[in-house]
Amino acid sequence: MTRKLLEQNGICPVATTIDLLSSKWKVLIMRDLLKGPHRYTELQTSVAGISQKMLTQSLREMADDDIVIRKAYPVIPPKVEYHLSPLGESMRPIINSLADWGSAYLDDHPDKRKVIM
């Protein structure tokens, strides 16, 4: 369906996108998964400040929305990896644009810089 038809039917494509990425955690998880597959503990370490509950919830929602693929290996101890689906990968230019915009903003507003792990 085209954007115009969606909007005529009361469906906002921007609101849909925001709903799919409804938390800063999901965007930061995607940022890390753009670099390649990650295990749960790697994501927990790289996404500073995220709780175990929020990481689990975010990954589950992103998998349900076909943005992330969860791959469980039949080994002991259990091994699970997460990677972006083709749909999630299609967000690469958007995430890169967010990073570019953020860099330009911080160049113009150095007092707003925060150290984020």
Side-chain angles (χ1 to χ4, degrees), residues 32-52:
D32 290 350
L33 292 178
L34 284 171
K35 299 171 189 167
H38 282 64
R39 295 181 71 174
Y40 182 90
T41 53
E42 293 171 329
L43 288 169
Q44 194 170 27
T45 301
S46 65
V47 181
I50 193 167
S51 68
Q52 184 175 356

Side-chain angles (χ1 to χ4, degrees), residues 20-33:
L20 287 170
L21 302 174
S22 59
S23 75
K24 73 176 182 178
W25 302 120
K26 290 181 181 180
V27 176
L28 295 176
I29 291 167
M30 288 185 70
R31 173 203 64 191
D32 290 350
L33 292 178

Side-chain angles (χ1 to χ4, degrees), residues 34-88:
L34 284 171
K35 299 171 189 167
H38 282 64
R39 295 181 71 174
Y40 182 90
T41 53
E42 293 171 329
L43 288 169
Q44 194 170 27
T45 301
S46 65
V47 181
I50 193 167
S51 68
Q52 184 175 356
K53 177 184 174 188
M54 188 53 65
L55 179 57
T56 300
Q57 178 181 328
S58 297
L59 287 168
R60 188 171 295 133
E61 289 173 2
M62 293 169 78
D64 289 345
D65 292 331
D66 297 322
I67 294 171
V68 167
I69 295 172
R70 179 186 188 272
K71 183 175 182 181
Y73 294 89
V75 295
I76 296 177
K79 177 182 176 183
V80 177
E81 283 185 343
Y82 297 89
H83 65 275
L84 292 177
S85 68
L87 179 63

Side-chain angles (χ1 to χ4, degrees), residues 10 13 16-17 21 25 35 42 51 91 95 101-102 106 108 110 115:
T16 299
T17 304
L21 302 174
W25 302 120
K35 299 171 189 167
E42 293 171 329
S51 68
M91 292 287 293
I95 302 297
W101 188 91
L106 291 172
D108 292 341
V115 176

Side-chain angles (χ1 to χ4, degrees), residues 96-115:
N96 288 339
S97 291
L98 287 170
D100 292 343
W101 188 91
S103 293
Y105 176 82
L106 291 172
D107 285 346
D108 292 341
H109 302 85
D111 57 312
K112 302 289 184 178
R113 292 180 187 197
K114 299 176 188 170
V115 176

